Amino acid sequence: VARRLGWFWRKAPSLALLATLLAGAVLSAFMNNTPIVVLMLPMLIGAAARSKFPASGVLLPMGLATLIGGMGTTIGTSTNLLVVSVAADMGMRRFDMFDFLLPVAMAGSIGLLYLGLAAPRMIPDRLTPMDDVSRRVFEAQLALGENNRFVGKRLAELMYKAGPEFQVSRIMRGDGCYLSPLPDLAIKAGDRLMVSDTVPQLREYQAILGATLVEDRDDAPGRKEGELQLAEVAVTLGSRLHKRVLGDIPWSEQYGLQVLALHNAAGVLEFGSDGLQHHRLQASDVLLVQGSREDIRWLKRSGELLVLDGTTNLPRTRKAPLALFIMVLIVAFPAFGLLPIEVSSLVGVMAMIACGCLNWRTATRALSVQVVMIIVASLALGSALMKTGGADWLAQLYLAVAHGAPPWMMLASLMLLMAVVTNIISNNAAAVIGTPIAISIAMEMGLPLEPFVLAVMFGANLSFVTPMAYKTNLLVMNAGGYRFADFVRVGIPLTLIMWAALTLILAVAYRL
């Protein structure tokens, strides 16, 4: 999805921003929004730089859009799950997967339009941390194997697929034979395309074209299919490699790595060229290397070279359709009432592990003790409020303060109160405290329980105004170089838009 959006950004940035916000919102309705934000950040920063669109006008709207999308389903956020569980424990009918998707979709569409059209103009230009890092450009070769889908096709078709920024300087065929990149040139197996670009773009081209940046080498130690990573590493003054000739270093035998290119103050040395092999390494030289996960981890610990960028696993695209199919089943079974969500999720994880989409160690690391304890403690807090009569007392106090107000105003004020609280304390705590109070208020007034429970759920999800309101807000703040005031400037209007729209929809739907 991110790759397709990156292509769209090259064509129409304004429409691409709206498409990105929509994609982030839809995905967040079924997945944790933190990995979605992590995945989207580098893509958006690169796309904004290429399209001359300020990155500060993109990252914050994208982060807030994922919060909107998470409101739409029972599994969208832990807040939703908590509210549904607490309400069911108190005797209310349990919400199904998509019971409140329609009001969120109606209000969220207005919120996304605001984020796409108005919010970017409200945010001052901020210098992102990545803007301070020089964009190192490397010369590298993309090798096309025998089974590559572009073998036998014209070069023009391959370049169209890669995008307008993709430029081929030469094509190496066989040993030392270089061809001009004419559009009608037929691609043959084993051809190597000489390209020049940044590391993120080289990764992108590698994934899009199904190519490789190195030759297939079975003799490289620790080299396993699907575990390769790219990394930028710098030579330091204290390194034993300082002032050594690059070609004299046994990279494959000693480090399990292969050098793809070199960048220094004089420019770029091409991959496979004599100049690269005879270059004497100097402090501050930057190398583009590829190797296994274990080898690059060892390189980090050894101190031989300084790893500059967060290494990125090359994507296992052959597993992507299977992982997507399992994810669809995880959502579909509880959506149609065939399995509870907790059973469907657990079976889905086991299927992911059995099919090789996920390993056991990664799955166990995804379990956060802190998150589990917060949820358990929140449920206990909500239960205590009910058993001690605290919820009834707070509900009566609330009714006394709002004496004489019509039901829709009571609903609106409850949602607004939750929106204020969730931007100051944990949204899970706000939801668990608010749910029994909302049920008590509805019962005292003789009104249906569902709209008041939904008011608490929606209000607790309006975490738009402060960076500490939600973990992805802090993530976006750091990546985009934002200030506290930027969240307030964009978040308050968005909160008011969502609050007003959701209040109107609930009031009309339940005839309050």
Side-chain angles (χ1 to χ4, degrees):
V1 171
R3 191 175 302 136
R4 298 297 184 274
L5 289 173
W7 176 86
F8 196 18
W9 270 92
R10 303 185 188 107
K11 302 294 183 180
S14 297
L15 291 176
L17 175 57
L18 289 173
T20 301
L21 299 180
L22 181 61
V26 172
L27 290 172
S28 295
F30 306 102
M31 297 170 57
N32 188 327
N33 66 336
T34 301
I36 296 173
V37 172
V38 170
L39 178 66
M40 291 287 191
L41 282 177
M43 184 276 290
L44 287 177
I45 290 173
R50 289 192 297 270
S51 60
K52 309 301 181 184
F53 202 98
S56 57
V58 176
L59 303 185
L60 180 54
M62 184 271 299
L64 298 181
T66 63
L67 296 180
I68 292 176
M71 299 168 62
T73 64
T74 56
I75 64 170
T77 65
S78 57
T79 304
N80 293 5
L81 281 170
L82 281 172
V83 171
V84 170
S85 298
V86 171
D89 289 344
M90 296 178 62
M92 201 186 87
R93 179 188 68 85
R94 180 177 287 272
F95 285 109
D96 292 329
M97 177 80 73
F98 301 113
D99 275 358
F100 43 88
L101 177 62
L102 183 58
V104 173
M106 294 170 65
S109 61
I110 304 173
L112 293 181
L113 286 175
Y114 160 77
L115 289 174
L117 302 177
R121 296 174 172 82
M122 300 168 62
I123 305 171
D125 287 344
R126 301 294 187 198
L127 186 66
T128 68
M130 290 189 182
D131 289 334
D132 293 330
V133 180
S134 61
R135 299 291 289 174
R136 287 173 290 273
V137 176
F138 291 95
E139 186 82 18
Q141 294 182 8
L142 290 172
L144 304 176
E146 293 183 1
N147 297 323
N148 191 281
R149 58 194 172 114
F150 292 102
V151 172
K153 297 184 179 180
R154 296 184 305 125
L155 177 63
E157 296 181 47
L158 181 146
M159 296 183 69
Y160 176 79
K161 183 67 176 179
E165 279 80 23
F166 183 71
Q167 298 295 328
V168 179
S169 58
R170 290 178 297 170
I171 298 176
M172 182 178 177
R173 180 170 293 173
D175 295 330
C177 178
Y178 291 93
L179 305 175
S180 298
L182 301 175
D184 290 333
L185 180 69
I187 299 294
K188 291 187 177 181
D191 282 355
R192 297 183 181 182
L193 311 179
M194 312 293 290
V195 297
S196 178
D197 219 314
T198 61
V199 173
Q201 277 301 105
L202 291 176
R203 291 180 181 133
E204 182 78 4
Y205 297 146
Q206 184 176 10
I208 293 175
L209 302 179
T212 177
L213 288 171
V214 296
E215 296 178 271
D216 292 326
R217 297 186 53 176
D218 298 329
D219 59 335
R223 190 68 52 83
K224 296 180 181 178
E225 183 182 3
E227 293 184 355
L228 297 181
Q229 292 184 332
L230 294 177
E232 287 180 80
V233 295
V235 180
T236 61
L237 280 173
S239 172
R240 291 186 302 172
L241 305 183
H242 181 48
K243 294 190 179 297
R244 288 190 63 182
V245 176
L246 188 144
D248 294 342
I249 302 171
W251 293 98
S252 180
E253 293 78 8
Q254 187 171 346
Y255 300 104
L257 303 174
Q258 186 166 4
V259 178
L260 306 183
L262 180 143
H263 184 287
N264 59 13
V268 177
L269 291 178
E270 294 185 6
F271 168 73
S273 66
D274 293 336
L276 179 63
Q277 294 300 315
H278 293 95
H279 176 78
R280 189 174 295 276
L281 293 174
Q282 303 290 333
S284 78
D285 283 354
V286 179
L287 302 171
L288 176 64
V289 299
Q290 180 168 342
S292 70
R293 179 198 305 265
E294 291 76 14
D295 290 326
I296 293 178
R297 281 180 178 172
W298 179 88
L299 189 65
K300 287 181 179 180
R301 294 193 301 267
S302 69
E304 290 280 359
L305 295 166
L306 177 64
V307 180
L308 297 179
D309 71 330
T311 54
T312 301
N313 290 331
L314 302 183
R316 304 185 185 187
T317 52
R318 67 184 184 280
K319 295 287 186 180
L322 181 58
L324 287 171
F325 177 70
I326 294 173
M327 186 65 193
V328 169
L329 292 181
I330 291 173
V331 174
F333 275 98
F336 291 103
L338 302 177
L339 281 176
I341 183 60
E342 57 271 21
V343 176
S344 174
S345 299
L346 185 59
V347 172
V349 170
M350 295 301 177
M352 291 279 193
I353 295 173
C355 296
C357 301
L358 185 69
N359 61 54
W360 182 256
R361 180 177 298 178
T362 305
T364 54
R365 278 204 300 258
L367 292 173
S368 170
V369 175
Q370 183 181 14
V371 172
V372 172
M373 292 306 297
I374 288 174
I375 293 175
V376 171
S378 299
L379 288 171
L381 179 61
S383 179
L385 281 174
M386 293 302 301
K387 292 185 181 299
T388 61
D392 291 333
W393 182 81
L394 290 172
Q396 291 171 6
L397 179 62
Y398 185 82
L399 290 170
V401 172
H403 179 71
W408 67 266
M409 190 175 293
M410 300 286 290
L411 183 80
S413 58
L414 179 63
M415 190 187 305
L416 186 60
L417 177 62
M418 289 294 104
V420 172
V421 171
T422 196
N423 282 281
I424 301 172
I425 66 172
S426 164
N427 53 349
N428 286 339
V432 172
I433 293 171
T435 302
I437 296 174
I439 291 177
S440 296
I441 291 173
M443 293 177 66
E444 290 282 347
M445 299 179 66
L447 295 171
L449 307 182
E450 285 84 356
F452 287 87
V453 171
L454 289 176
V456 169
M457 181 189 298
F458 294 154
N461 277 296
L462 300 180
S463 310
F464 308 137
V465 181
T466 61
M468 63 276 194
Y470 204 78
K471 54 189 173 182
T472 52
N473 289 5
L474 288 172
L475 186 65
V476 169
M477 183 180 186
N478 294 331
Y482 295 107
R483 298 175 184 173
F484 190 98
D486 297 330
F487 280 84
V488 175
R489 184 181 294 111
V490 174
I492 288 179
L494 179 60
T495 299
L496 294 176
I497 289 171
M498 295 294 294
W499 167 69
L502 289 169
T503 298
L504 178 63
I505 293 168
L506 291 178
V508 171
Y510 290 95
R511 300 179 181 179
L512 298 179

